[in-house]
Each structure stands twice: as structure tokens, then as C-alpha cells.
Amino acid sequence: MSLSIIVPCLNEAATVTTTLAALQPVRARGAEVIVVDGGSSDETVVLARPHVDRVLTGPRGRAFQMNAGAAAARGDILLFLHADCRLPEFADRLIVDGLNRERKSWGRFDVDITGRHRLLGVVAYLMNVRSRLTGIATGDQGVFVTRTLFEAAGRFPEIALMEDIALSQGLKRFSAPLCLRHRIRASGRRWERHGVLRTVLLMWRLRFAYWRGADPEQLALRYLPHGD
């Protein structure tokens, strides 16, 4: 099965070159890499263009951007990767072999959050445990899914926040995820910039409010002053 990697970006000039450079071995083995920019005011698009198969531009919002990338992708499997995340070595083979071996159609990696704060390791551990218990994957874990299932589940709901949670809920109706123990490396910049405990508590409150039926547009207003 062929793989397309979709990277939503917004003002990621400081990180996009490193992220995309790390994808070149996977790209050399046949994976397609697509960057979808949400209207960056920096050099993100210029820096990304030499390292990818396509650069698309569209409305700001990860859900909108990732759906646009999926619509343009050629692969049988879609991998959605945040611009500040690094895949484990041979991620393409891990995904294809894992899905075939376990007869699954979607999944995610474990996550390792990089940074100086000693609590980041605890945060990553709890994220991985929670994901296994609930079957819910977050964007930092590198969600991958067959194109067929992605379309059957209705793609990402085009909401301002919690699009990864909503997609996972839709995918779970078809099957449980493949939880690969190989670790994707996610930047701890969000947690360190705003405080690890403060960020964790904020996300817990927002997810609980979403579970209670809160409007994602209103939740985004609470998140954006603290998010990326």
C-alpha cells in the first residue's frame, strides 16, 4: 500500500525544514509528502517547497488543511503529521506492516515529548496510556488511516478544535486503532511556553467541555491564547 504524509502548517518557518528533511528517506522509498499551508506570514511555503511533492494553500485550521491534503493525496494510506513532530525510523514500513499484520485500518504511534522540563516525560506516558485505554488518538501521535476508512468515517469534521478527537470517535465505530509502541517525537514547545501543568489542566478542561457538548468554536477561543 502506498503512503501519503500530510503536514498542516501555519508560520512554521523555524521548524518546517527540519521536519521535512527527516522525511526524505521515507520519501525516497516512495511516500508522497504534501504540505498544506493555512496562510503563513513567514517563509514556511518557500522553505517547504524543495522538500515535498506538493504545497497546497487553503483556509486556516488543521481540519480544513488536512482534509485538503487528503483530497489531493494519491496514497492508499494517509498519515497526518504535525509540523513540529518527527517520525520514528522506517515509519512507513512500521505502518504498512502493522496494519497488514493486525488487520487494522487505522492507528497511531506512541509519543515522546522533547524538551527541558522533567514533567514532559510524564505527560507523554499518560497520553500513551490514555490513548490505549480509550482508543482515542491525538494529532501529536501521528494518526494514520486507510483512505477508504477515512472517507467512510466522514473525514475530519471541519471544526475549530478537537478535530483529532472527533475523527478518532468516528474511526472507532469501525475498529479499534493499531497502537504502535515506536515513538514519534513531538516538540514540547507548547507546554514549556505556557507551563506544563497549566497546559495539561487547560487541555483536560477543554476535552471535558467537548465531551459535555460544548461548541468547538468557543473552545478554540479559550485554547488559542495558550496554543501554538
Side-chain angles (χ1 to χ4, degrees), residues 6 62-63 66-67 70 78-81 105-108 134-139 142-159 161-177 210:
I6 298 160
R62 276 184 175 149
M66 291 187 291
N67 281 341
L78 308 173
L79 167 59
F80 300 97
L81 182 69
S105 296
W106 75 287
R108 55 58 163 186
T134 64
I136 297 294
T138 62
V143 177
F144 50 86
V145 57
T146 64
R147 176 186 296 279
T148 300
L149 180 56
F150 182 70
E151 295 295 340
R155 307 187 300 170
F156 282 100
E158 294 186 339
I159 53 180
L161 197 66
M162 304 295 173
E163 74 287 337
D164 48 359
I165 307 297
L167 177 66
S168 293
Q169 291 170 336
L171 295 174
K172 277 179 59 179
R173 293 199 297 267
F174 295 87
S175 72
Y210 177 72

Side-chain angles (χ1 to χ4, degrees), residues 109-123:
F109 293 96
D110 273 0
V111 67
D112 181 24
I113 303 174
T114 63
R116 298 181 301 275
H117 202 291
R118 63 183 181 274
L119 287 180
L120 291 175
V122 177
V123 174

Side-chain angles (χ1 to χ4, degrees), residues 89-109:
E89 191 174 14
F90 298 110
D92 50 340
R93 296 175 184 173
L94 294 171
I95 292 170
V96 174
D97 291 347
L99 292 178
N100 286 334
R101 181 181 64 252
E102 300 297 330
R103 296 184 180 180
K104 303 273 190 182
S105 296
W106 75 287
R108 55 58 163 186
F109 293 96

Side-chain angles (χ1 to χ4, degrees), residues 56-72:
L56 306 176
T57 57
R60 176 176 176 174
R62 276 184 175 149
F64 297 96
Q65 292 168 240
M66 291 187 291
N67 281 341

Side-chain angles (χ1 to χ4, degrees), residues 8 10 29 32-33 57 70 74 77 98 107 115 152 156 170 177 185-186 197 199:
L10 180 68
R29 290 193 293 271
E32 176 186 43
V33 179
T57 57
R74 299 189 299 268
I77 304 171
F156 282 100
R185 296 178 63 198
L197 289 177
T199 302

